[in-house]
Amino acid sequence: QWHHFAMTWRQSDQRLNIYHDAILFFSTTLSASNEVLYSYTNPSYAAFGQEQDAQLGGYEPSQAFRGQLDEIKLWRRALSQGEVERDMTL
């Protein structure tokens, strides 16, 4: 069974939303002290299916995603929940 996950981040207010099957299940405002913020404001790489312990490295095999990723899409703006839902059904 497949599931749809989407993450949106809006730079203007640092709002991060994560959707599971187009339903918002996590939302927060990132702070300047949040180390995750560096990855999103300086986009020079992306890692999918693996948790990182350090920028550009520190991968642990036991923390890897075990499954299949079918499709990855990137936009230059944060999508609304309605747009996430429409994209999920395409």
Side-chain angles (χ1 to χ4, degrees):
Q1 180 178 0
W2 71 272
H3 290 278
H4 183 269
F5 288 91
M7 180 181 79
T8 64
W9 175 71
R10 191 171 49 224
Q11 185 175 15
S12 62
D13 61 1
Q14 303 300 316
R15 194 74 190 156
L16 175 75
N17 292 328
I18 300 178
Y19 301 89
H20 175 222
D21 293 335
I23 298 170
L24 181 66
F25 80 91
F26 180 79
S27 185
T28 191
T29 300
L30 298 176
S31 67
S33 63
N34 188 326
E35 68 181 74
V36 173
L37 183 60
Y38 181 84
S39 297
Y40 301 111
T41 57
N42 296 289
S44 59
Y45 65 94
F48 297 97
Q50 179 67 59
E51 188 271 335
Q52 280 183 262
D53 294 321
Q55 186 177 7
L56 298 175
Y59 298 111
E60 293 290 332
S62 64
Q63 297 171 338
F65 172 73
R66 298 193 194 296
Q68 296 178 345
L69 298 176
D70 178 46
E71 190 173 317
I72 297 172
K73 297 180 182 179
L74 302 173
W75 283 265
R76 296 185 62 81
R77 63 178 180 82
L79 301 180
S80 68
Q81 186 168 3
E83 290 171 314
V84 168
E85 185 173 8
R86 278 190 300 279
D87 183 66
M88 182 184 83
T89 59
L90 294 176

